[in-house]
Amino acid sequence: MKHGIRWFYVGLVILGLSIPMVGNTASFFIVSGHVTDQENSPLNGLEVTVSNETKNLMLMQLTGDSGPGTYAATFIDFFGKSVADINDEIKVSVKRMGIVTAEETKRIAQADLNKGFINIDLKIIPRLKLDSISPDNALASGGSIVKILGENFQEGVTVTFGRVEASNVVVVSDTELSVTIPAGTRGVVEVTVTNPDNHSASIQFRYIDYPAWDVDKNGSVNIFDLVTVASQFGQSGQGLSGDIDGNGAVNIFDLVLVASHFGEATVASAPPRLARFSKDSGTTRHVDMRFLDRDNSMRRRTALTVLENLSDTDPQALLAAKLLRQWLAANGEIPSESLLLPNYPNPFNPETWIPYNLAKPAHVSIRVFDMLGQPVKVLEIGHRHAGGYVEHSQAAYWNGRNEAGELVASGVYFYSIEAGEFNATRKMVIGK
């Protein structure tokens, strides 16, 4: 109720016949219609708000009260004041579960006023919703494909990145779009999806550039980036691709920067992979870098291993390996010599850790045997890069059990390491 005027819903049209309607005004006016879904099935129990926006009058009711999917709102003034004039704006709004799902606005014409009613039908079309965009970043050059997940995508949907419309939009289903990214400018933009019914929704997306350490701009940091830097060692000037830190010269610091990101994908659509070359078999196999240690020091040591695998056949890789090894050794990331270190704790019962240093990458095995030289347990560590393996998380672990899974007796035991050409043996004691 607004403006102090008493409004009532009246279901009897005959009552309206007694209310005067003169010229371009009416003190009795009905707004009615049907509310259906996109298959034209009637929808009942929805909240409908009918208002004369011009006169600031409003009525509310539920669909279905006047028949399947129908509403009928009657505006009356018993004192002869106008509730409807020509060109008044009548607005109908429908809510489902408290959310506006459809709206329609019409102006009253002379014919509507003469009849004393206006019909406004509404169709409830599920609103567009966006859940995710994957990947959520890509190169500013465009051309890669993203997947947009959501709800209620329609054929003919359009997608814009900032102000640029994507040219290739495929409606995979009503919950998935495949979109080719247009070129853009580095930074965050709004990706707006718009259905033919003009419903739209937005989600954020980031345009990126290749970082300097992806020297060959192929989407990942790999052996080729390292070798490129090595090939420009000692050069100075502008525009050198190997000048990663931008100081005008290519040196060890540029190589370390590349090695610190070794194996990374530089764009979301590029899988973080590298080619690892085998000197013995001459074959190439690919290693998924997502399963390697993400620590920068580990990346640098991984880069050293790959460079040394190539150093016999590639002089640039040999130079890069030599320089990187010197830097890693000088900064304490790899030891100057391989060592088998004392286990800890010692004596122990029943578990202990066996630390070691590797000056070169190698396959590591540790063997435990008794005083008579009889084998007790073999710990197959596997391939390890050059570095120190001292902490609990890195050292070899023995639980004091033999190959049969039985706890061994207390006493003196020996453990030996085999790591490439390196071998060493130490003593340990299992206490009671």
Side-chain angles (χ1 to χ4, degrees), residues 9 13 27 31 44 64 69 76 94 121 187 208 239 329 337 402:
Y9 172 74
V13 177
S27 54
V31 181
N44 296 319
I76 301 176
V94 181
D121 293 331
I208 62 175
E337 60 178 334
N402 59 22

Side-chain angles (χ1 to χ4, degrees), residues 86-327:
I86 290 178
N87 291 325
D88 280 1
E89 284 192 349
I90 302 297
K91 179 180 179 180
V92 180
S93 177
V94 181
K95 287 184 178 180
R96 171 183 276 175
M97 300 179 65
I99 299 175
V100 176
T101 55
E103 287 184 334
E104 184 73 30
T105 300
K106 284 187 178 181
R107 289 186 180 273
I108 297 176
Q110 182 65 61
D112 302 320
L113 206 62
N114 292 341
K115 293 183 296 184
F117 70 88
I118 189 171
N119 188 82
I120 302 178
D121 293 331
L122 295 97
K123 181 169 291 189
I124 306 297
I125 298 176
R127 289 293 179 120
L128 178 66
K129 177 185 176 184
L130 299 185
D131 293 327
S132 65
I133 182 169
S134 178
D136 62 2
N137 65 84
L139 291 172
S141 56
S144 57
I145 295 176
V146 294
K147 178 169 65 175
I148 300 177
L149 299 181
E151 297 178 6
N152 305 312
F153 296 134
Q154 301 172 359
E155 289 293 339
V157 64
T158 60
V159 180
T160 58
F161 287 71
R163 297 182 179 181
V164 182
E165 183 173 340
S167 60
N168 185 23
V169 178
V170 178
V171 181
V172 179
S173 68
D174 63 352
T175 61
E176 181 180 344
L177 299 177
S178 175
V179 183
T180 301
I181 304 168
T185 303
R186 181 178 180 177
V188 176
V189 298
E190 291 290 326
V191 176
T192 303
V193 179
T194 306
N195 273 335
D197 61 10
N198 290 324
H199 289 165
S200 64
S202 298
I203 194 168
Q204 287 193 334
F205 179 83
R206 182 181 295 275
Y207 279 113
I208 62 175
D209 291 331
Y210 288 109
W213 42 82
D214 184 3
V215 183
D216 57 6
K217 312 301 182 189
N218 71 343
S220 64
V221 184
N222 52 39
I223 184 65
F224 306 108
D225 301 304
L226 290 166
V227 171
T228 299
V229 174
S231 70
Q232 298 177 11
F233 255 88
Q235 296 183 28
S236 60
Q238 300 299 314
L240 291 169
S241 60
D243 181 14
I244 309 304
D245 57 11
N247 69 348
V250 181
N251 51 38
I252 184 60
F253 301 108
D254 300 304
L255 184 66
V256 170
L257 271 172
V258 175
S260 297
H261 295 276
F262 192 70
E264 284 184 351
T266 56
V267 292
S269 57
R273 301 173 72 88
L274 65 91
R276 174 172 291 173
F277 299 86
S278 170
K279 294 187 294 182
D280 299 329
S281 63
T283 60
T284 302
R285 62 190 182 93
H286 287 84
V287 179
D288 193 333
M289 291 300 292
R290 287 171 294 189
F291 298 100
L292 294 182
D293 194 318
R294 294 294 184 176
D295 176 75
N296 283 343
S297 175
M298 177 60 80
R299 290 182 182 277
R300 290 189 283 269
R301 288 181 283 143
T302 302
L304 177 62
T305 299
V306 176
L307 284 169
E308 290 183 333
N309 281 343
L310 278 179
S311 61
D312 285 353
T313 57
D314 190 326
Q316 293 173 344
L318 175 62
L319 173 61
K322 178 181 178 181
L323 293 168
L324 185 57
R325 171 171 285 279
Q326 290 174 349
W327 188 92

